[in-house]
Amino acid sequence: MPAFITFGRILFAVLFLYSGAYKLFGIQATAGLLAAKVTIPAVVAPYTQQIESFVGMPFMQLLAIAIGAFEIIAGLMIAVNVLTRFFAILLIIFVCFVTFYFHDFWNQPAPGNYNTLMDALKNLSLIGALFVIAGYGRGPRRDEPAYGDV
């Protein structure tokens, strides 16, 4: 059974690896999508302007790079079984935010919201799988039984 879990973990991580790479290879498109969907609160705006002047690029572009890098790193960590629980919990939070901001089917009329609803349900199932990964953690150690007394 642990071989199936390892294989499933690797297959699960492919989604985040691909998504992160896609964002990094299309930084301008990702930054444009972020700018269209995410508004920076007025309280935080001065800090984002300071970051923009320090780094020398728009904040949304920097955010797109950070998100793509995070997805790749988190996917790799889950695939290679290092800090799995920690990255699964971070991905749960990340996928919740993505679902709320980018798959807002409740703001769309009924016939046109089907694809957005399906994306939100897909993300809900990803959150469920991430909870399983977070609950299972790194998995059994060599000296522990894999599934209790079963």
Short mmCIF file of all heavy atoms in Angstrom, two decimals, residues 96-130:
data_model
loop_
_atom_site.label_atom_id
_atom_site.label_comp_id
_atom_site.label_asym_id
_atom_site.label_seq_id
_atom_site.Cartn_x
_atom_site.Cartn_y
_atom_site.Cartn_z
N CYS A 96 -8.09 27.65 -1.22
CA CYS A 96 -9.29 28.34 -0.72
C CYS A 96 -9.35 29.77 -1.25
O CYS A 96 -10.40 30.22 -1.73
CB CYS A 96 -9.31 28.34 0.80
SG CYS A 96 -9.74 26.77 1.54
N PHE A 97 -8.22 30.48 -1.19
CA PHE A 97 -8.19 31.85 -1.72
C PHE A 97 -8.43 31.86 -3.22
O PHE A 97 -9.18 32.71 -3.73
CB PHE A 97 -6.85 32.52 -1.41
CG PHE A 97 -6.78 33.11 -0.04
CD1 PHE A 97 -5.95 32.57 0.92
CD2 PHE A 97 -7.56 34.20 0.30
CE1 PHE A 97 -5.88 33.11 2.19
CE2 PHE A 97 -7.50 34.76 1.56
CZ PHE A 97 -6.66 34.21 2.52
N VAL A 98 -7.81 30.96 -3.95
CA VAL A 98 -7.99 30.90 -5.41
C VAL A 98 -9.44 30.62 -5.74
O VAL A 98 -10.01 31.25 -6.65
CB VAL A 98 -7.06 29.83 -6.02
CG1 VAL A 98 -7.44 29.52 -7.46
CG2 VAL A 98 -5.61 30.28 -5.94
N THR A 99 -10.06 29.71 -5.03
CA THR A 99 -11.46 29.38 -5.29
C THR A 99 -12.35 30.59 -5.03
O THR A 99 -13.25 30.88 -5.83
CB THR A 99 -11.89 28.19 -4.41
OG1 THR A 99 -11.03 27.08 -4.66
CG2 THR A 99 -13.32 27.79 -4.71
N PHE A 100 -12.10 31.29 -3.95
CA PHE A 100 -12.94 32.45 -3.62
C PHE A 100 -12.77 33.57 -4.63
O PHE A 100 -13.75 34.17 -5.07
CB PHE A 100 -12.62 32.95 -2.21
CG PHE A 100 -13.43 34.13 -1.81
CD1 PHE A 100 -14.75 33.97 -1.43
CD2 PHE A 100 -12.89 35.41 -1.82
CE1 PHE A 100 -15.52 35.07 -1.06
CE2 PHE A 100 -13.65 36.50 -1.46
CZ PHE A 100 -14.97 36.34 -1.08
N TYR A 101 -11.55 33.89 -5.02
CA TYR A 101 -11.31 35.04 -5.88
C TYR A 101 -11.50 34.75 -7.37
O TYR A 101 -11.89 35.63 -8.13
CB TYR A 101 -9.91 35.61 -5.66
CG TYR A 101 -9.81 36.44 -4.41
CD1 TYR A 101 -9.16 35.96 -3.30
CD2 TYR A 101 -10.39 37.70 -4.35
CE1 TYR A 101 -9.06 36.71 -2.14
CE2 TYR A 101 -10.31 38.46 -3.19
CZ TYR A 101 -9.65 37.96 -2.10
OH TYR A 101 -9.58 38.71 -0.96
N PHE A 102 -11.21 33.54 -7.82
CA PHE A 102 -11.20 33.27 -9.25
C PHE A 102 -12.33 32.39 -9.74
O PHE A 102 -12.57 32.31 -10.93
CB PHE A 102 -9.85 32.66 -9.66
CG PHE A 102 -8.72 33.63 -9.54
CD1 PHE A 102 -7.96 33.68 -8.39
CD2 PHE A 102 -8.45 34.52 -10.55
CE1 PHE A 102 -6.92 34.59 -8.26
CE2 PHE A 102 -7.42 35.43 -10.44
CZ PHE A 102 -6.65 35.47 -9.28
N HIS A 103 -13.00 31.70 -8.85
CA HIS A 103 -14.11 30.82 -9.27
C HIS A 103 -15.38 31.23 -8.54
O HIS A 103 -16.06 30.42 -7.92
CB HIS A 103 -13.76 29.36 -9.00
CG HIS A 103 -12.50 28.92 -9.66
ND1 HIS A 103 -12.33 28.96 -11.03
CD2 HIS A 103 -11.33 28.45 -9.16
CE1 HIS A 103 -11.12 28.52 -11.33
NE2 HIS A 103 -10.49 28.23 -10.21
N ASP A 104 -15.73 32.50 -8.65
CA ASP A 104 -16.89 33.05 -7.95
C ASP A 104 -18.16 32.83 -8.77
O ASP A 104 -18.73 33.76 -9.31
CB ASP A 104 -16.66 34.53 -7.63
CG ASP A 104 -16.30 35.34 -8.85
OD1 ASP A 104 -15.91 34.75 -9.87
OD2 ASP A 104 -16.41 36.58 -8.80
N PHE A 105 -18.60 31.60 -8.80
CA PHE A 105 -19.78 31.22 -9.59
C PHE A 105 -21.04 31.90 -9.05
O PHE A 105 -22.00 32.07 -9.79
CB PHE A 105 -19.96 29.70 -9.60
CG PHE A 105 -20.16 29.10 -8.24
CD1 PHE A 105 -21.42 28.95 -7.71
CD2 PHE A 105 -19.07 28.68 -7.49
CE1 PHE A 105 -21.60 28.40 -6.46
CE2 PHE A 105 -19.24 28.12 -6.24
CZ PHE A 105 -20.51 27.99 -5.72
N TRP A 106 -21.05 32.30 -7.80
CA TRP A 106 -22.22 32.94 -7.22
C TRP A 106 -22.45 34.35 -7.75
O TRP A 106 -23.54 34.89 -7.59
CB TRP A 106 -22.09 32.98 -5.69
CG TRP A 106 -20.83 33.63 -5.22
CD1 TRP A 106 -20.63 34.95 -4.97
CD2 TRP A 106 -19.60 32.98 -4.98
NE1 TRP A 106 -19.33 35.17 -4.57
CE2 TRP A 106 -18.67 33.96 -4.57
CE3 TRP A 106 -19.14 31.67 -5.06
CZ2 TRP A 106 -17.34 33.69 -4.25
CZ3 TRP A 106 -17.83 31.39 -4.73
CH2 TRP A 106 -16.95 32.39 -4.34
N ASN A 107 -21.45 34.93 -8.42
CA ASN A 107 -21.60 36.26 -9.01
C ASN A 107 -21.95 36.21 -10.49
O ASN A 107 -21.96 37.25 -11.14
CB ASN A 107 -20.31 37.07 -8.84
CG ASN A 107 -20.09 37.48 -7.41
OD1 ASN A 107 -21.03 37.67 -6.66
ND2 ASN A 107 -18.84 37.61 -7.02
N GLN A 108 -22.21 35.04 -11.03
CA GLN A 108 -22.47 34.90 -12.46
C GLN A 108 -23.89 34.37 -12.68
O GLN A 108 -24.43 33.65 -11.84
CB GLN A 108 -21.46 33.94 -13.08
CG GLN A 108 -20.04 34.43 -12.94
CD GLN A 108 -19.03 33.38 -13.38
OE1 GLN A 108 -19.39 32.29 -13.77
NE2 GLN A 108 -17.76 33.73 -13.31
N PRO A 109 -24.49 34.71 -13.81
CA PRO A 109 -25.84 34.20 -14.09
C PRO A 109 -25.82 32.69 -14.31
O PRO A 109 -24.81 32.10 -14.68
CB PRO A 109 -26.26 34.95 -15.35
CG PRO A 109 -25.01 35.46 -15.95
CD PRO A 109 -24.02 35.62 -14.85
N ALA A 110 -26.96 32.07 -14.10
CA ALA A 110 -27.08 30.61 -14.06
C ALA A 110 -26.57 29.86 -15.28
O ALA A 110 -25.83 28.90 -15.11
CB ALA A 110 -28.52 30.23 -13.77
N PRO A 111 -26.90 30.18 -16.49
CA PRO A 111 -26.38 29.32 -17.55
C PRO A 111 -24.88 29.45 -17.76
O PRO A 111 -24.22 28.49 -18.11
CB PRO A 111 -27.13 29.75 -18.81
CG PRO A 111 -27.93 30.93 -18.46
CD PRO A 111 -27.80 31.19 -17.00
N GLY A 112 -24.32 30.61 -17.48
CA GLY A 112 -22.91 30.83 -17.75
C GLY A 112 -21.97 30.45 -16.62
O GLY A 112 -20.76 30.46 -16.79
N ASN A 113 -22.52 30.09 -15.48
CA ASN A 113 -21.65 29.81 -14.35
C ASN A 113 -21.28 28.33 -14.20
O ASN A 113 -20.61 27.96 -13.26
CB ASN A 113 -22.29 30.30 -13.06
CG ASN A 113 -23.50 29.49 -12.64
OD1 ASN A 113 -24.03 28.70 -13.41
ND2 ASN A 113 -23.95 29.72 -11.43
N TYR A 114 -21.69 27.50 -15.14
CA TYR A 114 -21.45 26.07 -15.02
C TYR A 114 -19.96 25.74 -14.97
O TYR A 114 -19.51 24.97 -14.10
CB TYR A 114 -22.12 25.30 -16.18
CG TYR A 114 -21.85 23.83 -16.12
CD1 TYR A 114 -22.53 23.02 -15.23
CD2 TYR A 114 -20.91 23.24 -16.96
CE1 TYR A 114 -22.27 21.66 -15.15
CE2 TYR A 114 -20.64 21.89 -16.89
CZ TYR A 114 -21.33 21.11 -15.99
OH TYR A 114 -21.07 19.76 -15.91
N ASN A 115 -19.16 26.29 -15.89
CA ASN A 115 -17.72 25.99 -15.91
C ASN A 115 -17.03 26.51 -14.64
O ASN A 115 -16.16 25.83 -14.09
CB ASN A 115 -17.06 26.59 -17.15
CG ASN A 115 -17.45 25.84 -18.40
OD1 ASN A 115 -17.83 24.68 -18.35
ND2 ASN A 115 -17.37 26.51 -19.53
N THR A 116 -17.44 27.67 -14.19
CA THR A 116 -16.85 28.21 -12.97
C THR A 116 -17.25 27.36 -11.76
O THR A 116 -16.43 27.12 -10.88
CB THR A 116 -17.31 29.67 -12.76
OG1 THR A 116 -17.07 30.39 -13.97
CG2 THR A 116 -16.56 30.32 -11.64
N LEU A 117 -18.49 26.89 -11.74
CA LEU A 117 -18.94 26.00 -10.67
C LEU A 117 -18.15 24.70 -10.68
O LEU A 117 -17.73 24.21 -9.63
CB LEU A 117 -20.44 25.73 -10.79
CG LEU A 117 -21.03 24.76 -9.78
CD1 LEU A 117 -20.87 25.27 -8.37
CD2 LEU A 117 -22.49 24.49 -10.10
N MET A 118 -17.91 24.15 -11.87
CA MET A 118 -17.13 22.91 -11.96
C MET A 118 -15.69 23.13 -11.49
O MET A 118 -15.11 22.28 -10.81
CB MET A 118 -17.13 22.37 -13.40
CG MET A 118 -18.43 21.74 -13.82
SD MET A 118 -18.83 20.31 -12.81
CE MET A 118 -20.25 20.89 -11.94
N ASP A 119 -15.11 24.28 -11.82
CA ASP A 119 -13.76 24.59 -11.34
C ASP A 119 -13.75 24.72 -9.83
O ASP A 119 -12.81 24.27 -9.17
CB ASP A 119 -13.23 25.87 -11.99
CG ASP A 119 -12.87 25.68 -13.45
OD1 ASP A 119 -12.61 24.52 -13.85
OD2 ASP A 119 -12.84 26.67 -14.19
N ALA A 120 -14.77 25.34 -9.26
CA ALA A 120 -14.86 25.48 -7.80
C ALA A 120 -15.00 24.11 -7.14
O ALA A 120 -14.38 23.83 -6.11
CB ALA A 120 -16.02 26.39 -7.42
N LEU A 121 -15.80 23.22 -7.74
CA LEU A 121 -15.96 21.88 -7.19
C LEU A 121 -14.68 21.06 -7.33
O LEU A 121 -14.32 20.28 -6.44
CB LEU A 121 -17.13 21.16 -7.87
CG LEU A 121 -18.51 21.72 -7.53
CD1 LEU A 121 -19.58 21.04 -8.37
CD2 LEU A 121 -18.80 21.58 -6.05
N LYS A 122 -13.96 21.28 -8.42
CA LYS A 122 -12.65 20.62 -8.59
C LYS A 122 -11.71 21.08 -7.49
O LYS A 122 -11.01 20.27 -6.88
CB LYS A 122 -12.07 20.93 -9.96
CG LYS A 122 -10.64 20.46 -10.15
CD LYS A 122 -9.90 21.22 -11.23
CE LYS A 122 -9.97 22.68 -11.05
NZ LYS A 122 -8.77 23.42 -10.83
N ASN A 123 -11.71 22.37 -7.23
CA ASN A 123 -10.85 22.89 -6.16
C ASN A 123 -11.29 22.36 -4.80
O ASN A 123 -10.45 22.12 -3.93
CB ASN A 123 -10.85 24.41 -6.17
CG ASN A 123 -9.99 24.97 -7.26
OD1 ASN A 123 -9.41 24.24 -8.06
ND2 ASN A 123 -9.90 26.28 -7.32
N LEU A 124 -12.59 22.18 -4.61
CA LEU A 124 -13.07 21.59 -3.36
C LEU A 124 -12.55 20.17 -3.19
O LEU A 124 -12.14 19.78 -2.09
CB LEU A 124 -14.60 21.63 -3.33
CG LEU A 124 -15.26 21.16 -2.05
CD1 LEU A 124 -14.91 22.10 -0.90
CD2 LEU A 124 -16.77 21.08 -2.23
N SER A 125 -12.53 19.41 -4.28
CA SER A 125 -11.99 18.05 -4.19
C SER A 125 -10.48 18.07 -3.96
O SER A 125 -9.93 17.23 -3.26
CB SER A 125 -12.33 17.23 -5.43
OG SER A 125 -11.70 17.76 -6.56
N LEU A 126 -9.78 19.06 -4.52
CA LEU A 126 -8.35 19.21 -4.25
C LEU A 126 -8.11 19.53 -2.77
O LEU A 126 -7.17 19.00 -2.16
CB LEU A 126 -7.74 20.32 -5.11
CG LEU A 126 -7.55 20.01 -6.58
CD1 LEU A 126 -7.07 21.26 -7.30
CD2 LEU A 126 -6.56 18.89 -6.77
N ILE A 127 -8.95 20.38 -2.21
CA ILE A 127 -8.83 20.70 -0.79
C ILE A 127 -9.04 19.43 0.04
O ILE A 127 -8.31 19.18 1.01
CB ILE A 127 -9.82 21.82 -0.41
CG1 ILE A 127 -9.41 23.13 -1.05
CG2 ILE A 127 -9.93 21.96 1.11
CD1 ILE A 127 -10.45 24.22 -0.96
N GLY A 128 -10.00 18.61 -0.35
CA GLY A 128 -10.22 17.34 0.35
C GLY A 128 -9.00 16.43 0.27
O GLY A 128 -8.59 15.83 1.28
N ALA A 129 -8.40 16.32 -0.89
CA ALA A 129 -7.20 15.49 -1.04
C ALA A 129 -6.04 16.07 -0.24
O ALA A 129 -5.25 15.32 0.36
CB ALA A 129 -6.83 15.39 -2.52
N LEU A 130 -5.94 17.39 -0.20
CA LEU A 130 -4.88 18.02 0.60
C LEU A 130 -5.10 17.77 2.09
O LEU A 130 -4.13 17.60 2.84
CB LEU A 130 -4.81 19.51 0.30
CG LEU A 130 -4.15 19.87 -1.03
CD1 LEU A 130 -4.47 21.30 -1.42
CD2 LEU A 130 -2.66 19.64 -0.96
#
